[in-house]
Amino acid sequence: MFWDYLSQNPESIHQVMILMGDRGIPDGYRFMHGYLGHTIKIANKKGDWVYAQFHMISQQGTKFLTQEEAATKSPDYSQKDLFEAIEKGDFPKWSLEVQTMTAKEAEDLWERQKINVFDLTHIWPHKQFPLRKIGEFTLNQNAKNYFAEIEQVAFNPAHMVPGIEPSADPVLQSRLFSYPDAHRHRVGVNYQQLPVNAPRVNYRMANFQRDGAMSFFNQGNRPNYISSIEPIHFRERTVNLDKLHGHFTGNAVTFLSEIRKEDFNAPRALWEKVFDNKAKDRFIKNVSGHMTNCKKEEIIKRQIAIFREVSGDIATRLEKATGIKGYDGISELTFNGTHNGMTKNKSKRVANGMKGVTLSVSENNGAPTRGSHGKLNNGIIVH
């Protein structure tokens, strides 16, 4: 199922290359970077905002394990390493660094370089948008009770502090509601009342949520609406949320997106500019070794075709390692998980080979285009 899914969703190729490369098995949590991945918006008190990407850069550096080394480690190796380091006072640290981009720069980035800031698989060029350190964080305390503090914790990207707002990234938008839904199912409808998930403030939170299993703060007899009998006292907002709205205009994609040539630029740069020769050898060994678990040759042929769009070198090496000749590319393939924007055969472009479907995919494939943010002044939204 692993390679079947990937061979039907070619937009996954960049993440697949990271997973199967040296970064895929870090030598413990202390020696890996972290990334927000999604584009967000950060705003100042005036309500001016820019797009941003957050990076957590390990001050310990990065290390990785080979397949052979990983096989000698316990499944709890990374957790044990982190726990013991904190216990002995060797607190790991990360630098919080940010890339920023104005709305105008986001539009130009698509128009000129076909990089979509709303696409989770696209990378912001570091030379154009350099990383700037804005802080750091330290892990200096272990959990006392694993279940209460770890198993019950519920992270939710919709919980944003003032000054940080979501962008129109469609995957982020879906996660804003899917994550809390998952927590309601996994932990319970009142998961936000648990100490590990509750806000740490010097006032009581007031909302319109009531009842449900294990509600231990049900807000007394206060009405569950904005009442004149017992008014809610709102805290003064530090930012104007109406002004923060991007006024972004774009076409809705009603069913799936489309794989295009630009989607292979980031994984190609990873192969050609980041991986050295030894890293490439390990990558081919990792991928071909895992492919032996797949018993359907057709799936491997399709996956090699996807790798061929990244680099002919990858495809040739995998063909030699697996003994399976892959397709020449994806132009003659139909995918289940995405429309094929790289085929000239209309019958193969639509996902699943569906008939009578009008493609709702726009030319920009969801990216911000010139003028899509409305009126701009020096790249900033004007209201």
Side-chain angles (χ1 to χ4, degrees), residues 218-349:
N218 216 29
Q219 304 183 56
N221 62 354
R222 188 179 62 77
N224 65 339
Y225 61 93
I226 299 179
S227 167
S228 63
I229 300 172
E230 190 174 341
I232 293 178
H233 300 285
F234 292 99
R235 288 176 61 83
E236 184 176 348
R237 294 188 182 275
T238 56
V239 293
N240 185 333
L241 294 180
D242 293 328
K243 190 176 180 181
L244 281 180
H245 178 59
H247 300 284
F248 178 79
T249 302
N251 294 333
V253 178
T254 58
F255 182 73
L256 302 179
S257 59
E258 192 171 66
I259 188 71
R260 301 185 180 184
K261 290 183 178 179
E262 60 265 17
D263 295 316
F264 293 98
N265 291 338
R268 186 176 300 116
L270 185 65
W271 177 259
E272 295 178 350
K273 300 178 180 181
V274 179
F275 287 3
D276 59 24
N277 289 335
K278 290 184 178 180
K280 290 179 179 180
D281 291 342
R282 289 189 292 269
F283 175 82
I284 297 298
K285 182 179 181 181
N286 292 345
V287 173
S288 60
H290 196 279
M291 281 180 167
T292 59
N293 297 316
C294 181
K295 305 307 178 185
K296 289 190 176 182
E297 190 172 293
E298 173 65 15
I299 293 174
I300 303 304
K301 291 167 67 175
R302 292 175 62 89
Q303 188 61 44
I304 290 177
I306 296 171
F307 277 118
R308 198 183 306 279
E309 298 293 349
V310 177
S311 169
D313 182 37
I314 300 178
T316 300
R317 291 192 188 200
L318 286 175
E319 287 172 336
K320 182 178 180 181
T322 62
I324 298 174
K325 172 65 177 175
Y327 292 117
D328 290 336
I330 69 171
S331 63
E332 292 301 314
L333 299 181
T334 299
F335 298 103
N336 291 338
T338 184
H339 301 308
N340 189 348
M342 295 176 64
T343 182
K344 296 180 179 179
N345 187 335
K346 291 183 178 180
S347 66
K348 296 183 180 297
R349 185 180 179 189

Side-chain angles (χ1 to χ4, degrees), residues 2 14-29 31-33 35 62-71 75 77-78 270 274-275 279 282-283 286-287 290:
F2 181 81
H14 189 206
Q15 189 60 47
V16 171
M17 291 187 63
I18 293 173
L19 175 66
M20 291 293 178
D22 290 342
R23 303 185 202 181
I25 312 180
D27 188 6
Y29 299 127
F31 300 101
M32 62 186 295
H33 300 319
Y35 306 92
T62 59
K63 296 181 182 180
F64 69 92
L65 299 173
T66 64
Q67 292 273 28
E68 294 77 14
E69 289 170 334
Y77 169 77
S78 295
L270 185 65
V274 179
F275 287 3
R282 289 189 292 269
F283 175 82
N286 292 345
V287 173
H290 196 279

Side-chain angles (χ1 to χ4, degrees), residues 106-107 109-119 122 168 170 248-253 257-260 262-263 349 360-373:
E107 294 176 2
L109 194 63
W110 170 258
E111 299 285 354
R112 298 171 183 173
Q113 297 171 250
K114 297 305 179 198
I115 296 176
N116 181 358
V117 297
F118 299 148
D119 189 325
H122 287 199
F248 178 79
T249 302
N251 294 333
V253 178
S257 59
E258 192 171 66
I259 188 71
R260 301 185 180 184
E262 60 265 17
D263 295 316
R349 185 180 179 189
S360 59
V361 180
S362 58
E363 287 301 316
N364 60 319
N365 210 17
T369 55
R370 188 169 294 117
S372 61
H373 286 89

